[in-house]
Amino acid sequence: MPTARRGAWLLIAAASAPLPAATRADYAIDIPAGPLAQSLERLAAQTSISVGAAGPLPAVRAPAVKGRMSVETALRRLLAPSRLEAIPAGPNIWRLRSKIGAIPPQIVAPPAPQPDQPLADIIVTASKQGTPLSAYAGSVVRLDLAEGAGAPRGDTDASASLVAHASSLSSTNLGPGRNKLFVRGVADSSFNGPTPATVAQYFGEARLNFAAPDPNLNLYDMASVEILEGPQGTLYGSAAIGGIVRLIPNRPILNEASGAAEAGLIHSGSGDIGGDGAAMLNLPLSDQAAVRAVGYGVLNPGYIDNIGLGRTDANRTLSYGGRLAVRFDPSPATSIEIGGIYQDMESRDGQYAELGLPPLTHSTVVAQPFDNDFRLAYATIRAPLFGASLTSSTSFVRQELRTEFDATRLADVPSAFIEDLGFSVLSHESRITGGDPSRTHWLLGVSGLLSFTTARRQLGPVDDLVQITGVRNAEREVALFGEGTIPALRHVNITIGARISYDEASGRLLSVPKDTKAEPKRRNWRFLPKAAIAWQPGSRWLVFAHYQEGFRPGGLSITGPTSAEKFQSDTVWTLEGGVRFNDPGRDRLSASVIVSRTRWQRIQADLIDAHGLPFTTNIGSGRVNSLEAALDWRLNRAVSFETGLFLNQADLDDLQTGTGELLDRNFPNIANAGGRAAIRYDQEIRGAVTLNAQAALRYVGRSFLGALPPIDLPQGDYVLASADARIGTPRRGVRLSVDNLFDTRANRFAFGNPFSVDNGRQITPLRPRTIRIGFDARF
C-alpha cells in the first residue's frame, strides 16, 4: 500500500497549514472535558493545527478549555493531567513529549521521543467518524500531498499521478479529463457512456461525480487523498461499487495571512515544452472568518503527431482553473464553509498512435479535440449537537464534455462524430456522529441525490453534420443510513451498518418526434448491509474481516436511429479479510496483507457497436479475487523503503455475447498483477535546508481492452521508473522530477478512435521521458 511521505508528522487532525502561523495568536476556543485524544482533535479542528505524539496517548481525561487564548495556552491546559508538554515542530505543527523528570501514565516509551519512533495515529476521515487506521476494519490507502519529493503532483496529469502511487487504483487512458477510475479490479468497460461510475469521487464532503468520467482536478494545495477499497454502499450510496477516492483540501486558516506559489517547466523527450504555475492565498476576514483562494494552469506538452493533418505534438493539453473557500466559525465548535471549483481542460487531438506508421504518430483527416468544463459549488456545516457532532453538506456539480472523432471510415468524404455530454448532480447529506472513534462509536445520517445525464450526438460530413438520436437519464435517490461499532470482547470490536434507500430512474430519447413517450420510471427500495469485525491481539496488530454491498441504478441506452433499450441495475458484494502490522508512514516497520472476493451481478458496460457508435447494456456477471500486500520500512532517519503489490483474478463467468452463448473472459482493462517499489531519502543538509529524494519502479501487468473480438486487444505489461528530488527550506525550494526515466516504450491503452479500433492498430504510447524543473515559495 502506498504510504504518506516519510519524515512528515502524521496528524491527529488532517488540517496542516502551509506556513508558520503566529503561535501567539488568540483563538476562540470551546472544548468540553473529555478523553485527551478527543480534546486534541477538537483543538486541531478549531485552530487548524496538527499534533504529533510518540506512541499512544495516555488514557487521561482533559479538562474543559474555553475562551480566547493562544494555541500554546490551550495545549498547556489540555495536557496538564498527562505530564506531557507541547513544543512547536513546524508550520502549525506541535509535537508532544514527556516533561523532563516525569513519566506519562500508561505510556511505555522513553521520555524524549526520537524521530524514528512511532508518531500519532493516522485518521481515516473517509470513515465519516474519524476512525484511527489502527482500528479501521477495511482496506484504505492514504496519500499525503504535503510538499516534498515523491508526493503525487498536480502539475501534470493529476489522476495519472495518483494511479502511479496507489497499486490498487487504475484507469483507462483515453486522455486527461476523459478517463474512468477503477479500484481493485471492479472495471465495467474501457469506453465512456451513460453508466454510473464504479468509483465515487469526493472533494471533502462534496460529491464530484455520478455518471461522468474522472474530472482530473488539479492537486495543488490539497492536504491528502484517501482511497477506500471495495463497495461503499452503506455510507456513500449508489455508484460506489468499486470504492471511494476522496480529495481532502487544505481548509482556510483563521487568524493567518499567508500565501504560496510554484512554477515549473516541462519537457517531453519526443515532444514540445510545456509549463505550469499555481498560487494560493489565505486571508483572514475577521477573528472568526477566513478565505482561501487557489489558482493554477498547466500546459502539458504533446508528443503525438497527426501526420494526416500535418500537426506536430497534436495531443497537447491545456488545463486551468481555481478554487475558493470561505470559512466562518460563529463559535469555537461550529464551522461553516462555502466554496467552489472552476476548471477547464482541453486537448487538440487524441493521444493514441497507430501501428504501421512512424512511432508516436497517427493519421486522420479530421481533428479530434476534447473539452471538459467542470464546476462545483458546495456548503458544509460542522457543529455540536446534544453531545454529538453534526456534519451537513450540500453540493452541486455541472460537468460538460465535448468529444470529436474522425468518422470518415463510415463515408467516402471527411466525416466526424461529435458527442456532447452534460452531467448535473445535486447531492446532500446530514449525519450525526458520537462516541470514541477508537472504541464505541456510532453514526446516523440522511442523504439525497438528484442526477441528470444528457447525451447529444452529431454525425456526418464535417460541413453537413446531422443531429442523431440522443438520450437523457435521470436518477433520484433518498436514503437513511447508520453504522455503529461496539466492543464485543476484549480487543474485539464489531461494526454493523445498513442503508435503506429509495431510488427512481427514468430516461427519454432526444431529437426524436415529440410524441415519443418517455420510458416509465423504475422505482426501487434497497437495503445495503455492512458488517465488520476487528481484533487487536496487540497494540501493533489488527486482524479484520469486512462485508459490504453496493449498486448502480439502471438507465436508457440508444440502440438505433429512433430506438432505445433499458439497461438494468447492477449489484456488487465483497467479503474481505486482512492483517495489518503497524501503520504505514507512522511506524518504522509496517506491513499488511488483504484478500478479497467480489461478486458482480448484471454488469453494466459501455460498449461500441459494429459502426463505432456507443451503446450500453448488461453483459452478464463476474467475480474478482484479489490479494494485496504492502511492506514499508524506515531503515534509519534518512532512508526508507515502500513496496506494494496486487494480484487479481477477474473473470466474466457468464458473458452475454448476444447469440445466447455464455463465455468465460477476463474483465476489461484490469491487469492480473502489478506493484510498486520506492526508496526515499530525507536528510537535513545544513540549517533548515533539507534534501528530499525518491526513486520508484512501477509494474503494470498485462490486460485487455475488451472481453470479445475484435477488441480483446492486449495492453500493459511494462515497468516504469521515475525519480524526484527537492532541495530547500520549508519556505523556498527547487524540485526536479523525471517520469519514464528510461524512456520505456509500451502500449498502456489499445484505444483512441471507436470507428477504427477494430483494426487492432491503435495503441496509447507511454509519455516519453518527461523532465520538470520547478520552484516553490511560501510567504
Side-chain angles (χ1 to χ4, degrees):
M1 179 187 301
T3 64
R5 98 182 236 270
R6 299 294 186 179
W9 289 100
L10 299 179
L11 312 180
I12 287 180
S16 62
L19 286 178
T23 57
R24 300 286 178 178
D26 286 345
Y27 294 83
I29 295 171
D30 186 1
I31 302 173
L36 178 60
Q38 185 174 344
S39 296
L40 290 173
E41 290 175 14
R42 292 179 183 272
L43 179 65
Q46 294 177 22
T47 60
S48 298
I49 66 166
S50 304
V51 184
L57 291 171
V60 298
R61 188 172 178 83
V65 176
K66 186 174 183 179
R68 294 198 66 84
M69 66 191 74
S70 67
V71 170
E72 183 179 9
T73 300
L75 282 168
R76 185 171 63 251
R77 294 181 182 180
L78 290 175
L79 297 173
S82 68
R83 300 181 184 178
L84 293 172
E85 63 181 358
I87 60 173
N92 293 299
I93 300 175
W94 294 78
R95 185 180 71 183
L96 304 185
R97 69 178 184 184
S98 301
K99 293 180 181 178
I100 298 176
I103 301 177
Q106 300 187 23
I107 292 185
V108 183
Q114 301 299 319
D116 59 351
Q117 290 180 321
L119 301 177
D121 220 336
I122 299 172
I123 301 300
V124 182
T125 62
S127 68
K128 299 188 177 182
Q129 299 180 75
T131 306
L133 178 60
S134 58
Y136 181 71
S139 181
V140 60
V141 176
R142 184 180 184 277
L143 302 174
D144 190 344
L145 302 187
E147 282 191 357
R153 308 195 312 269
D155 48 70
T156 53
D157 185 343
S159 295
S161 184
L162 293 180
V163 169
H165 283 76
S167 299
S168 61
L169 187 65
S170 61
S171 76
T172 59
N173 280 284
L174 195 57
R178 57 202 302 194
N179 294 327
K180 290 182 174 182
L181 291 182
F182 306 124
V183 174
R184 196 193 269 166
V186 179
D188 51 3
S189 77
S190 298
F191 311 105
N192 291 334
T195 58
T198 63
V199 176
Q201 296 176 251
Y202 281 77
F203 176 82
E205 298 289 339
R207 182 153 190 166
L208 297 177
N209 71 328
F210 184 77
D214 168 38
N216 200 47
L217 293 183
N218 193 286
L219 299 178
Y220 183 72
D221 197 46
M222 296 281 187
S224 60
V225 177
E226 289 182 350
I227 303 169
L228 297 188
E229 299 180 356
Q232 304 294 325
T234 302
L235 292 184
Y236 288 91
S238 60
I241 61 176
I244 299 294
V245 174
R246 188 180 187 204
L247 307 179
I248 303 172
N250 289 313
R251 299 185 64 202
I253 302 173
L254 303 178
N255 299 299
E256 177 183 298
S258 59
E262 72 173 31
L265 290 176
I266 308 169
H267 178 258
S268 289
S270 299
D272 60 355
I273 294 177
D276 64 88
M280 178 278 296
L281 185 63
N282 188 99
L283 293 175
L285 302 178
S286 69
D287 289 344
Q288 298 175 303
V291 61
R292 193 179 188 97
V294 174
Y296 50 81
V298 180
L299 178 62
N300 245 350
Y303 60 97
I304 300 293
D305 296 341
N306 188 334
I307 59 178
L309 295 174
R311 292 184 176 180
T312 60
D313 307 319
N315 66 318
R316 182 183 303 151
T317 301
L318 173 67
S319 64
Y320 55 91
R323 304 193 299 270
L324 182 69
V326 179
R327 175 180 173 183
F328 172 58
D329 291 6
S331 71
T334 301
S335 183
I336 301 171
E337 185 173 321
I338 299 174
I341 299 176
Y342 169 99
Q343 179 172 291
D344 283 354
M345 182 173 294
E346 54 191 53
S347 178
R348 299 192 305 165
D349 207 340
Q351 68 173 15
Y352 69 97
E354 292 180 280
L355 299 174
L357 297 179
L360 303 179
T361 66
H362 67 244
S363 179
T364 66
V365 297
V366 176
Q368 302 177 104
F370 170 79
D371 185 76
N372 184 336
D373 299 336
F374 180 89
R375 311 288 185 269
L376 167 69
Y378 68 90
T380 301
I381 300 174
R382 300 175 178 89
L385 183 67
F386 304 116
S389 297
L390 168 69
T391 301
S392 182
S393 181
T394 301
S395 63
F396 176 76
V397 168
R398 177 63 184 175
Q399 190 171 359
E400 297 177 352
L401 286 75
R402 166 165 277 214
T403 305
E404 300 185 31
F405 290 113
D406 185 336
T408 303
R409 187 180 179 185
L410 300 180
D412 296 327
V413 296
S415 300
F417 172 77
I418 300 178
E419 184 174 50
D420 290 294
L421 298 175
F423 305 92
S424 298
V425 182
L426 176 65
S427 60
H428 173 82
E429 178 180 293
S430 293
R431 65 180 185 269
I432 303 172
T433 58
D436 181 353
S438 63
R439 294 294 289 168
T440 302
H441 52 92
W442 55 270
L443 174 154
L444 183 65
V446 295
S447 69
L449 180 142
L450 179 62
S451 171
F452 295 100
T453 302
T454 303
R456 300 182 185 275
R457 311 187 301 171
Q458 302 175 69
L459 179 65
V462 291
D463 56 357
D464 190 24
L465 290 170
V466 177
Q467 192 86 20
I468 61 176
T469 304
V471 69
R472 181 177 185 268
N473 283 302
E475 168 71 12
R476 300 167 178 84
E477 178 185 330
V478 293
L480 172 68
F481 62 95
E483 184 178 292
T485 298
I486 60 171
L489 300 170
R490 187 180 183 186
H491 306 306
V492 176
N493 286 352
I494 292 179
T495 299
I496 299 293
R499 187 183 193 94
I500 300 174
S501 67
Y502 171 79
D503 63 84
E504 290 182 354
S506 62
R508 65 182 179 88
L509 295 180
L510 304 176
S511 303
V512 296
K514 294 182 178 180
D515 58 355
T516 302
K517 294 182 179 179
E519 179 221 358
K521 291 181 180 179
R522 284 158 286 139
R523 298 176 172 88
N524 296 282
W525 284 94
R526 304 182 193 270
F527 177 74
L528 299 173
K530 172 184 177 178
I533 183 170
W535 173 42
Q536 293 178 295
S539 61
R540 296 176 176 268
W541 291 89
L542 180 72
V543 182
F544 67 87
H546 182 198
Y547 173 86
Q548 194 156 220
E549 298 181 3
F551 79 98
R552 295 188 296 175
L556 193 66
S557 172
I558 303 167
T559 58
T562 59
S563 62
E565 182 179 281
K566 292 188 295 184
F567 58 91
Q568 303 299 317
S569 170
D570 56 359
T571 59
V572 166
W573 62 258
T574 293
L575 179 63
E576 67 177 353
V579 179
R580 273 201 300 268
F581 174 72
N582 284 333
D583 289 352
R586 188 198 72 169
D587 298 294
R588 183 169 184 176
L589 178 67
S590 67
S592 64
V593 177
I594 299 171
V595 295
S596 64
R597 179 176 179 83
T598 297
R599 184 65 179 169
W600 196 352
Q601 303 284 349
R602 301 185 305 278
I603 300 171
Q604 299 173 8
D606 296 313
L607 305 173
I608 53 176
D609 64 21
H611 302 292
L613 295 173
F615 73 99
T616 303
T617 188
N618 298 91
I619 62 173
S621 299
R623 62 183 183 275
V624 183
N625 298 320
S626 298
L627 169 66
E628 301 171 61
L631 176 66
D632 291 11
W633 179 34
R634 189 165 67 252
L635 180 63
N636 52 43
R637 298 181 186 180
V639 180
S640 59
F641 300 91
E642 305 171 6
T643 60
L645 65 88
F646 73 87
L647 300 173
N648 274 337
Q649 181 187 20
D651 299 316
L652 295 163
D653 52 20
D654 60 351
L655 178 65
Q656 303 284 346
T657 65
T659 63
E661 183 183 8
L662 301 181
L663 298 176
D664 290 343
R665 293 296 174 101
N666 293 327
F667 272 50
N669 213 61
I670 294 299
N672 287 334
R676 180 179 184 269
I679 180 172
R680 284 193 54 87
Y681 181 80
D682 300 284
Q683 182 64 50
E684 184 177 291
I685 297 176
R686 182 178 180 182
V689 178
T690 302
L691 172 64
N692 308 107
Q694 176 175 276
L697 287 174
R698 182 168 66 101
Y699 172 67
V700 177
R702 190 168 185 252
S703 64
F704 296 89
L705 178 70
L708 291 172
I711 59 171
D712 54 343
L713 304 171
Q715 56 193 18
D717 194 20
Y718 57 85
V719 176
L720 205 57
S722 63
D724 194 11
R726 180 186 184 272
I727 186 169
T729 68
R731 301 189 64 178
R732 303 285 188 275
V734 180
R735 184 170 179 175
L736 176 66
S737 305
V738 184
D739 294 323
N740 195 358
L741 185 62
F742 301 115
D743 207 19
T744 302
R745 298 294 177 93
N747 175 25
R748 54 179 168 156
F749 192 50
F751 173 63
N753 181 315
F755 298 98
S756 55
V757 66
D758 58 353
N759 65 23
R761 296 175 51 212
Q762 296 177 11
I763 64 171
T764 301
L766 294 170
R767 179 178 285 275
R769 182 188 297 114
T770 299
I771 300 173
R772 177 188 182 269
I773 183 168
F775 306 87
D776 61 79
R778 297 188 175 280
F779 53 89

